[in-house]
Amino acid sequence: MNRDILQRQQLARQFINNTVKRTIETSNDLFETLKDGKILGEVAEFLNNLNNNSNNNNSNNFNETNFNNDLDKFLFICKNFEVPESLLFNENELQSIAKFDKIVSCILFLSTRPGVLALNRKFNFNITRTNSGNVSLHSTVDAESKFREFSQTKENLEDQINSQTNKSSQLKRQISNSKQFEQSIEQQKLVNKQFENKLEIIENEKDSKQQQLNNTLKNENENNSNNKLTLKHVQLSLESIVKDENICKLLLQSGLKSLHNSPYANSANFFANNNNNNNNNNNHNNN
């Protein structure tokens, strides 16, 4: 594709962008955008509004006409602005890439018409029509350079907006994380407080149990001391009893020995034997 065709397409694209406030970035985008006719319908309505501002009677006809589609609107405006019949196109040509240059020529010619030329000053280029009806291009400034500068500025602004959006999102996440962290700290403080309370209860119970144990040990020690004393007393009593028993045995033995050696020992035996005989006789009589 030669330079002249590219420049023509760029100028047509800029005219469309500024007319309907769109951003068509490439020639391929221009073809895809135009082929359904919707953008051309918007261009027609925009140019009709120019006619309303200039009190052109053709605008009344536009507003009173029932169009079948957007392409019919555009062709109506082209005829009002005296675009040559040879540059007009139908729906099949609009959708054919082979006829794309014809559509571009029609748009460029339309942009040179009286009432539309004021728009061209916004694009920084002039489009003029020769006596033969052909469209010639005369750039007053480098339109491509301006467009690139505009695109670059737009990209820079979009990058800045995206960057600020990302920073804002990061800040929001940080704030959210900070709030969550603070909530976690507060929850942990509550848990720690609960553990401290439980620990205090446990310590108190421990002290109470220890005191009870000490008291029990003290009581047992006292009881053991008392038991030892009681046991000592019992032992002493037993020793005294044993001693008394031994003394009694000695006394008894001494008494028996004295009695045996006494002159009355035989008489005592006599009485003892007599008493036994009497008992035996009584038992026999009873039988």
Side-chain angles (χ1 to χ4, degrees), residues 182-198:
E182 290 176 357
Q183 291 176 354
S184 298
I185 291 177
E186 292 299 323
Q187 291 176 354
Q188 188 61 44
K189 286 181 178 179
L190 292 176
V191 173
N192 291 343
K193 185 65 176 177
Q194 292 175 354
F195 277 118
E196 290 175 357
N197 293 336
K198 289 182 179 180

Side-chain angles (χ1 to χ4, degrees), residues 34 40 45 67 71 117 134 136 162 165 176 180 203 232 234 251 263 265:
L34 293 180
L40 295 177
E45 291 175 356
F67 298 103
L71 179 58
L117 286 173
N134 296 326
S136 61
N162 292 333
T165 301
S176 177
Q180 292 177 357
E203 289 292 334
K232 185 67 174 176
V234 170
L251 290 174

Side-chain angles (χ1 to χ4, degrees), residues 74-111:
F74 180 77
L75 295 176
F76 185 92
I77 286 294
C78 287
K79 291 176 182 179
N80 283 348
F81 282 96
E82 299 179 352
V83 176
E85 192 73 25
S86 61
L87 294 179
L88 300 181
F89 50 88
N90 56 38
E91 186 173 357
N92 291 333
E93 290 175 325
L94 178 61
Q95 296 178 0
S96 173
I97 189 65
K99 297 294 183 178
F100 184 48
D101 190 59
K102 182 179 182 180
I103 285 84
V104 171
S105 297
C106 178
I107 293 172
L108 293 178
F109 189 93
L110 179 63
S111 66

